[in-house]
Amino acid sequence: MPANPFHDRDIVSIKDFSKDDLEFIFDATDKVSQLRPSQRGELGKGRALGYIFYEPSTRTRMSFEAAMASLGGSSIGISDLKSSSVEKGESLADTIRVIDLYSDVIVLRHPMDGSSRYAAELSQNPIINAGSGSEEHPTQALLDLYTMLKEKKKIDGLSIAIIGDLKYGRTVYSLLYGLTNYDVDIHLVSPPSLQVRKESIYEVQGKLKITEHAELEDGALSDVDVIYVTRIQRERFPDLQEYEKVRGTYMIDEKTLAKAKPDVSIMHPLPRLDEISQNVDHTKNATYFKQASYGKELRAALLALMLNENITH
Ligand code: NCD
């Protein structure tokens, strides 16, 4: 087995990892998922995950906690800033320095781009970026890619539509950067005001076959294997009137499914508002809750690799 590229490493951007690294973690996720609870419970024994979420979270925080518990470790952290010294004005730098003293790995979500890179410079222990502004959310992309691999049995050769708020959705950026390691067709579907930011398009152009659409019309629908839906990121709009203009632009429902490939996988990082009809939930195409479940497994493997040089006995 090649050397573990995740041991003691910061997970700030998915761009820091090669295709071999991505495959290494997908294999590790399969392995860790199959371990007996007693073996799995050795991988994080006596270790602590420290977290701080400056923005709301359900899945990311809970899946990291559940993952750490499954490895026999514990989690300590702050998700309600009002009950922490952040409320008194403590800086991000001081907060990170202190969490660093109490834990072996730190999970950070913060509204500013660059926040995780900055935290990684300050902390001795590795930082995991759990969302930095509208910049990146690398572990979400890892679990998104793992979900595609599990559900479609491959990533190379897939045709993927990414739809919704492509301007502010940080999961979109990490996913696009991660997908540059593969041979995939990408259809970007968004209102003109919410297209992928130009500097990122320049970065991925040439590495990905990209077509941009304003409508989820047939070209972006009938041939795709995966439809990755995102929420319009209301909290990132400088002007809420602009949000009102684009909210509810897309809705995936049974009519959409009828025009798509019968085995299309509908993915969503969640939370979902009204962009996927609840009528889709019971179809075989709905993959979003499975995706959240793969998230726990992938994060368990990631933590195991970060905390242990070798996870096979
Ligand atoms: C996403 C996020 O925080 O970027 N949530 C998540 O971690 N699954 C997506 C979103 O908030 O829309």
Side-chain angles (χ1 to χ4, degrees), residues 61-210:
R61 181 169 65 81
M62 291 185 68
S63 63
F64 268 116
E65 282 198 66
M68 193 62 180
S70 77
L71 301 177
S74 57
S75 301
I76 44 171
I78 298 162
S79 53
D80 172 18
L81 296 178
K82 288 213 162 17
S83 70
S84 78
S85 290
V86 174
E87 183 71 6
K88 298 181 188 167
E90 187 164 39
S91 66
L92 173 63
D94 285 2
T95 307
I96 290 295
R97 282 190 189 105
V98 173
I99 300 176
D100 197 23
L101 300 173
Y102 302 147
S103 50
D104 301 287
V105 52
I106 301 174
V107 175
L108 169 68
R109 172 171 289 182
H110 193 279
M112 276 175 63
D113 292 13
S115 47
S116 277
R117 187 71 72 193
Y118 174 61
E121 284 163 13
L122 298 169
S123 99
Q124 299 292 312
N125 287 302
I127 291 277
I128 301 177
N129 178 2
S132 48
S134 54
E135 176 193 43
E136 274 217 53
H137 190 351
T139 65
Q140 179 70 44
L142 291 174
L143 78 90
D144 292 341
L145 294 170
Y146 184 70
T147 302
M148 290 179 195
L149 191 58
K150 290 277 119 180
E151 296 298 306
K152 299 292 174 196
K153 310 289 172 231
K154 61 174 189 180
I155 300 177
D156 278 319
L158 288 180
S159 183
I160 302 164
I162 307 180
I163 142 165
D165 186 346
L166 311 186
K167 180 174 185 182
Y168 297 117
R170 56 193 170 203
T171 70
V172 171
Y173 291 87
S174 291
L175 181 59
L176 282 175
Y177 302 142
L179 283 170
T180 59
N181 293 291
Y182 297 91
D183 177 20
V184 286
D185 265 326
I186 304 288
H187 295 273
L188 298 175
V189 186
S190 71
S193 62
L194 293 182
Q195 285 175 350
V196 172
R197 297 188 294 268
K198 282 285 168 282
E199 68 271 22
S200 296
I201 284 284
Y202 294 140
E203 206 173 327
V204 298
Q205 240 168 16
K207 298 184 194 154
L208 290 172
K209 281 170 258 158
I210 295 183

Side-chain angles (χ1 to χ4, degrees), residues 215-225 227 250-264 266 280 285:
E215 307 289 335
L216 186 59
E217 81 274 21
D218 287 354
L221 183 59
S222 54
D223 293 336
V224 296
D225 304 294
I227 302 180
Y250 306 107
M251 161 80 128
I252 304 292
D253 55 17
E254 299 108 308
K255 284 192 221 121
T256 325
L257 289 182
K259 291 188 219 149
K261 278 189 175 176
D263 65 345
V264 67
I266 309 291
V280 174
N285 309 92

